[in-house]
Amino acid sequence: MNKRILLAAAAALALPLPVLAQTAAPDPAALRDAALKDDVAWDITEGLTTEVGQRLAATEAEARAREWGAKKLKALGFQNVRIETFKMPLWVRGEEQAEVLGGSAQKLVIAALGNSGSTGPKGVEGEIVYFPTMADLQMAPEGSLKGKIAFVSHSMTATQDGSQYGAFGAARRSGPSTAASKGAIAILIRSIGTDYHRNPHTGVTNWPKDMKPIAAAALSVPDAEQLERLLKRGPVRMKLLITPEFKGEAESGNVIGEVPGSDPAAGIVVVGGHLDSWDLGTGAIDDASGVAITTAAAKRIMDAGQPRR
Amino acid sequence: MNKRILLAAAAALALPLPVLAQTAAPDPAALRDAALKDDVAWDITEGLTTEVGQRLAATEAEARAREWGAKKLKALGFQNVRIETFKMPLWVRGEEQAEVLGGSAQKLVIAALGNSGSTGPKGVEGEIVYFPTMADLQMAPEGSLKGKIAFVSHSMTATQDGSQYGAFGAARRSGPSTAASKGAIAILIRSIGTDYHRNPHTGVTNWPKDMKPIAAAALSVPDAEQLERLLKRGPVRMKLLITPEFKGEAESGNVIGEVPGSDPAAGIVVVGGHLDSWDLGTGAIDDASGVAITTAAAKRIMDAGQPRR
């Protein structure tokens, strides 16, 4: 997801101040302890996710989120609050249907990956070619996926530090372009995540310049496991209807508020998070809470007295 | 859900047998312990949910499930395996979209209740009228919901015995007809369940004879809570598009296998489960596992020697 910055605050962190400074340097530990007792970050997270909800980058909803953010920064006392817009490509989700054909006909639950191509309104049909890992897909011979639908399962497991997300995310980020380069008409990947509900995990996929995007979607974890079970019984043909659209350049933007420092020559400190979210949820974690925590931190610094930077 | 019986077995439970019986009465505890060590029930659950998947009553998928069941009963050694068909009303899910309008415009996730009416292809718009409980809806004055969309939240909590399902299910079973009787154009209910994912819980709703069904859908638990948060901020208008269809009478059926008893005059013992499932999942619990457990139990009894009944 492209990042939109809610807050770019010129805020001093707790640096040694000259002896003549009128206010004592704030104690970082005291700032931290006080921050844990206020509701600023919670209010921002709850408000943004409730009042705006989903806010896919460059959509009307993200524009509402910018207005919401600017109003909130003003209300919190930040100065020079403003919105700086820019253009970016707009990708919008369409229909999403996946169906196993033949004697075990059944629907599976999918979500198109961000930047997925379209199957067109009639959908595509093809045989599934199973790749347990991303490395297996990479080793598939050139042209071997012609007319086929690739399926990369590549199941990650839960770890306390979330470290598998980066590694297994390769199937989402570059699996589609790899499959397309070998002739696949579409690709399904197992959701990058370990939740066992039927809400597939979206997220961006990348295409080399000049490559025509193919349809690319994630299966929820139980649906990916269902497809694996079916493939153990024999060949599987599927029909996919995935119709997202690239709508050209549209307006996105940053929301900026400042805490002016006492020494303009000392530079600025930027803290921020990204305001936009995916369209399948309200982005409480990705990244309303990040926006909220950084805003609350900047407000704490502001309220502790004018910083130098 | 209407119940389709996979297995109606004429099977003797472990009753006292005449002294002259050729086989000793099987020991129930031994049957139970042995059953816990075999894979019969697991194989049925895994096979039915994988190879057939969703099997909504009276659909083509349920017909495949009957064929699957008959084949399985034969393979397990049951006698006189047969399918007895009958007609029942067929209800089929259509499109399902729910959208908050206005300054907090956002999509919510819904699933039509079984037997829901349709909004028509253009959908309906209306103001949400909030009822914390089913009792509150019942107390709403006659005509007070004219042109409005009712929302019954009525949140249940998890209990070890699942006892709240029965009580809170009233919002699903009779909430829609109650809302319709007071003039509502549609109704949303909080999913009857306590899972905190965005997969709404469907399930059947009932209409008095001669009442025209209105559109009735469940919001996932997080979406119901989102709607509650929005209602605390002020009036909420929503647009709903819910287009299921009643398709008249269609063929459903029972799958029957027998374990003939030694004494035809002693009557029969019927054990069974329902073969159909809802269309939003593979019905592993509702009721593939019930079918599987009862079939495995009947097979244990059959394999222990000919029963009397």
Side-chain angles (χ1 to χ4, degrees):
Chain A
M1 180 99 289
N2 293 282
K3 306 290 185 255
R4 235 80 29 244
I5 297 172
L6 175 63
L7 177 78
L13 298 181
L15 294 167
L17 291 180
V19 176
L20 292 177
Q22 293 183 312
T23 53
D27 171 28
L31 283 177
R32 178 198 64 204
D33 293 346
L36 288 172
K37 286 177 195 145
D38 75 37
D39 292 331
V40 175
W42 168 257
D43 286 344
I44 292 172
T45 304
E46 196 265 357
L48 180 60
T49 58
T50 302
E51 293 165 23
V52 180
Q54 310 96 346
R55 48 198 181 280
L56 189 68
T59 61
E60 173 275 337
E62 197 224 5
R64 276 194 286 120
R66 292 196 293 277
E67 296 298 331
W68 189 97
K71 195 172 159 191
K72 177 62 74 176
L73 288 184
K74 278 179 199 160
L76 289 171
F78 291 95
Q79 291 185 40
N80 304 323
V81 173
R82 62 196 183 277
I83 295 170
E84 290 182 351
T85 59
F86 56 85
K87 297 280 185 179
M88 63 170 281
L90 172 59
W91 175 90
V92 180
R93 188 176 303 279
E95 283 190 277
E96 303 179 326
Q97 296 173 22
E99 195 176 347
V100 172
L101 303 173
S104 292
Q106 57 188 281
K107 291 180 181 174
L108 300 181
V109 180
I110 58 169
L113 301 179
N115 294 335
S116 165
S118 171
T119 61
K122 291 185 178 172
V124 295
E125 282 188 27
E127 189 180 337
I128 298 292
V129 184
Y130 172 58
F131 299 101
T133 70
M134 184 60 197
D136 295 310
L137 172 63
Q138 283 160 341
M139 286 185 293
E142 292 302 311
S144 63
L145 299 180
K146 190 148 189 238
K148 310 280 178 71
I149 299 170
F151 167 43
V152 184
S153 189
H154 212 175
S155 73
M156 61 186 275
T157 51
T159 55
Q160 200 164 18
D161 64 358
S163 55
Q164 294 209 339
Y165 185 80
F168 286 82
R172 187 191 78 209
R173 295 187 300 268
S174 59
S177 59
T178 304
S181 74
K182 296 170 193 291
I185 54 174
I187 179 171
L188 297 174
I189 66 162
R190 181 182 169 121
S191 278
I192 307 301
T194 56
D195 280 322
Y196 207 78
H197 50 51
R198 293 185 82 191
N199 301 125
H201 185 262
T202 186
V204 76
T205 193
N206 304 313
W207 305 102
K209 207 169 171 244
D210 302 329
M211 178 180 271
K212 185 176 181 318
I214 60 173
L219 285 158
S220 81
V221 171
D223 287 88
E225 294 185 353
Q226 181 81 332
L227 185 50
E228 286 187 7
R229 279 189 293 269
L230 286 163
L231 285 162
K232 278 187 190 147
R233 286 156 156 92
V236 175
R237 280 185 69 81
M238 284 186 72
K239 178 173 183 182
L240 299 179
L241 179 69
I242 301 169
T243 61
E245 282 182 74
F246 292 94
K247 294 194 176 249
E249 298 276 304
E251 189 171 276
S252 183
N254 293 317
V255 181
I256 297 169
E258 293 182 10
V259 181
S262 60
D263 180 1
I268 60 170
V269 176
V270 177
V271 297
H274 70 88
L275 189 56
D276 65 327
S277 79
W278 282 101
D279 55 330
L280 298 178
T282 62
I285 301 299
D286 183 14
D287 189 31
S289 59
V291 161
I293 291 164
T294 50
T295 302
K299 179 171 165 55
R300 274 278 152 198
I301 291 166
M302 174 174 71
D303 291 349
Q306 188 183 32
R308 178 167 163 244
R309 300 196 295 176
Chain B
M1 180 100 286
N2 292 282
K3 306 291 185 255
R4 237 76 30 243
I5 297 173
L6 176 63
L7 178 79
L13 298 180
L15 295 169
L17 290 181
V19 175
L20 293 177
Q22 293 184 313
T23 52
D27 171 27
L31 283 177
R32 178 199 64 205
D33 293 345
L36 289 173
K37 287 178 194 144
D38 75 37
D39 291 331
V40 175
W42 168 256
D43 286 343
I44 292 171
T45 305
E46 196 265 358
L48 180 60
T49 57
T50 302
E51 293 165 23
V52 180
Q54 309 97 344
R55 47 198 182 280
L56 189 67
T59 61
E60 173 276 337
E62 197 225 4
R64 277 193 285 121
R66 291 196 294 277
E67 296 297 333
W68 189 97
K71 194 172 161 192
K72 177 63 74 176
L73 288 183
K74 278 180 199 160
L76 289 171
F78 290 95
Q79 292 185 39
N80 304 324
V81 174
R82 62 196 183 277
I83 296 170
E84 290 182 351
T85 60
F86 56 84
K87 298 279 185 179
M88 62 170 283
L90 172 59
W91 176 90
V92 180
R93 188 176 303 279
E95 284 189 277
E96 303 178 328
Q97 295 173 23
E99 195 177 349
V100 172
L101 304 172
S104 292
Q106 56 188 283
K107 290 180 181 174
L108 299 181
V109 180
I110 58 170
L113 301 179
N115 294 336
S116 164
S118 172
T119 60
K122 291 185 178 172
V124 295
E125 282 187 27
E127 189 180 337
I128 297 292
V129 183
Y130 171 59
F131 299 101
T133 71
M134 182 61 195
D136 294 310
L137 172 63
Q138 284 160 341
M139 287 186 292
E142 291 303 310
S144 63
L145 299 181
K146 191 148 189 235
K148 309 280 178 72
I149 299 170
F151 166 44
V152 183
S153 188
H154 213 175
S155 72
M156 61 186 275
T157 51
T159 55
Q160 200 163 19
D161 65 358
S163 56
Q164 293 208 340
Y165 186 80
F168 285 82
R172 186 192 77 208
R173 295 186 300 268
S174 58
S177 60
T178 304
S181 74
K182 295 170 193 290
I185 54 173
I187 180 171
L188 297 174
I189 66 162
R190 180 182 170 123
S191 279
I192 306 302
T194 57
D195 281 321
Y196 207 79
H197 50 52
R198 293 185 83 192
N199 301 125
H201 185 261
T202 185
V204 76
T205 193
N206 304 312
W207 304 102
K209 206 169 171 246
D210 301 329
M211 178 180 270
K212 185 177 182 319
I214 59 171
L219 285 158
S220 81
V221 171
D223 288 86
E225 293 185 353
Q226 180 81 332
L227 185 50
E228 286 187 6
R229 279 188 293 268
L230 285 163
L231 286 161
K232 278 187 189 148
R233 286 157 156 92
V236 174
R237 279 185 69 81
M238 283 186 71
K239 178 173 183 182
L240 300 179
L241 178 70
I242 301 170
T243 60
E245 282 182 75
F246 292 95
K247 295 195 175 247
E249 298 276 302
E251 190 171 274
S252 184
N254 293 318
V255 180
I256 297 169
E258 292 183 11
V259 180
S262 60
D263 180 0
I268 59 171
V269 176
V270 178
V271 297
H274 70 89
L275 189 54
D276 65 325
S277 79
W278 282 102
D279 54 331
L280 298 179
T282 63
I285 301 299
D286 183 15
D287 188 32
S289 59
V291 160
I293 291 164
T294 50
T295 302
K299 180 171 164 56
R300 273 279 152 198
I301 290 165
M302 174 174 72
D303 292 349
Q306 188 182 32
R308 179 169 163 241
R309 300 197 295 175

